[in-house]
Amino acid sequence: MVDRVLVTLDGAVQDPDAPLLYADDIGALRGDGIFETALVRDGKACALELHLARLRRSAEALDLPEPDTGQWRSAVETAVKEWGAEREGMLRLILTRGRDGHAAVRAGGGELSGPASDVTGYVLVMPVAERVARARAEGVSVITLTRGISVDLAQSAPWLLLGAKTLSYATNMAALRFAARMNADDVIFTSTEHRVLEGPRSSVVVQRDRQLITPPARNGVLPGITQRALFAEAEKAGWDCRYESLFTADLITADSVWLVSSVTLAARVASLDGLRMSAPDCAPEIVELVDRGIARAWSLGDW
Ligand code: PLP
């Protein structure tokens, strides 16, 4: 069984153990690029069309040339086929601005311009991390950490790229390492106004009775595909789903808090800043709604 699959945007299956990037790739030099992470399940990339749509949106935010959706779709299909249907996989779509000096910028987006072929693009499938099964089954211990920014910044400082999925994840990973030193599994970022933002790699969803609430994207969080799939399915099942600002205190008084994301899917917050949070009766239903939502996400349309 292969343990990773690498396919470049031209559709070629590459040796995943051979070097691929040029040393001067701006993705490596500056983290200047975008990505998507999706779950491979039953031999299919879950919610692929939504991931491709978000890739396009992120490209636009970074003035990258518009991704050729057909090319990405067929690279993903090749990679997923190579991976097989026996087990889940973590699928990544990586797109960088390309090499320094040949940098690709969308027409009108800056002084440099170049054809889309100057970008670096590839698809990588890897095994799902071991922590994922544990997070799904047992939930996660979470600490809240400040991101040091205001919820107003997404609107007033678009160059911070707050709604885009960029390759600049070093601070997100640093927050997770900080949490590990505090014996926590994960993090919920908060704003300078003590508003709930998101996890370093997940959206936050709060459950109160038959209500699900998540912070709106305008507060500077990534619009989450898993959260959206959950809301679509939950609404059909009679839940009241809302995009509203939440304060840190709202997490403590909630019936349950969830970190939802494409690969882990639904992880219940089992403790928050050291406070135990017990599972509500509806916990299995929420897990089921996410599972079903992600399987049907192809019908959600564009963003
Ligand atoms: N927020 C951030 C910062 C993320 O990195 C992710 C996913 O990796 C999410 C939210 C959840 O998004 P999705 O459900 O589309 O995976």
Side-chain angles (χ1 to χ4, degrees):
M1 208 157 33
V2 288
D3 89 329
R4 53 196 64 196
V5 173
L6 174 62
V7 178
T8 37
L9 254 194
D10 57 5
V13 179
Q14 307 284 350
D15 175 358
D17 291 316
L20 180 77
L21 291 182
Y22 286 98
D24 58 2
D25 193 291
I26 300 171
L29 296 181
R30 295 197 170 135
D32 192 353
I34 56 178
F35 76 109
E36 282 295 321
T37 305
L39 179 66
V40 180
R41 183 179 260 186
D42 301 327
K44 283 198 275 297
C46 297
L48 177 61
E49 292 308 314
L50 291 182
H51 285 285
L52 292 174
R54 193 169 61 189
L55 191 75
R56 280 199 302 274
R57 276 171 48 133
S58 297
E60 200 178 352
L62 271 72
D63 294 320
L64 283 163
E66 190 179 340
D68 178 338
T69 305
Q71 209 178 22
W72 280 96
R73 197 180 289 120
S74 75
V76 167
E77 274 165 18
T78 305
V80 167
K81 202 160 151 217
E82 288 279 315
W83 182 256
E86 299 93 66
R87 63 196 169 135
E88 290 187 345
M90 179 174 70
L91 171 84
R92 285 194 176 105
L93 284 64
I94 314 283
L95 173 61
T96 86
R97 203 176 295 284
R99 299 183 65 184
D100 203 3
H102 309 241
V105 175
R106 181 165 54 102
E111 73 279 10
L112 293 165
S113 69
S117 58
D118 284 350
V119 298
T120 302
Y122 57 93
V123 172
L124 183 66
V125 192
M126 288 170 52
V128 169
E130 273 172 30
R131 66 172 170 79
V132 167
R134 211 167 41 243
R136 286 178 186 166
E138 297 165 21
V140 284
S141 58
V142 169
I143 55 171
T144 52
L145 294 179
T146 181
R147 192 177 246 177
I149 60 171
S150 158
V151 285
D152 295 333
L153 276 187
Q155 313 294 318
S156 62
W159 55 89
L160 292 181
L161 303 173
L162 286 171
K165 200 162 165 69
T166 78
L167 286 172
S168 308
Y169 260 49
T171 55
N172 295 34
M173 302 328 281
L176 290 169
R177 288 194 301 275
F178 184 88
R181 285 200 289 277
M182 301 288 146
N183 292 317
D185 302 316
D186 219 314
V187 169
I188 292 179
F189 284 128
T190 57
S191 76
T192 45
E193 305 89 354
H194 304 288
R195 293 256 173 60
V196 175
L197 294 173
E198 62 188 343
R201 53 186 173 202
S202 58
S203 310
V204 177
V205 175
V206 160
Q207 174 256 326
R208 274 192 217 126
D209 299 319
R210 296 290 287 176
Q211 198 172 67
L212 297 175
I213 310 166
T214 197
R218 67 166 185 278
N219 282 10
V221 300
L222 186 76
I225 288 170
T226 318
Q227 166 273 314
R228 193 166 154 213
L230 164 63
F231 275 25
E233 214 49 44
E235 271 170 356
K236 278 194 252 167
W239 289 74
D240 171 20
C241 299
R242 299 179 177 207
Y243 294 86
E244 279 174 8
S245 284
L246 294 158
F247 282 98
T248 318
D250 294 323
L251 299 173
I252 315 269
T253 58
D255 292 334
S256 63
V257 178
W258 298 78
L259 296 185
V260 300
S261 58
S262 291
V263 174
T264 303
L265 299 178
R268 192 179 64 80
V269 176
S271 78
L272 182 74
D273 291 332
L275 225 72
R276 214 176 83 79
M277 300 189 76
S278 51
D281 292 343
C282 67
E285 184 186 350
I286 291 178
V287 170
E288 168 66 25
L289 288 169
V290 171
D291 261 29
R292 219 176 326 137
I294 214 70
R296 291 188 188 163
W298 50 265
S299 63
L300 287 178
D302 216 339
W303 287 95

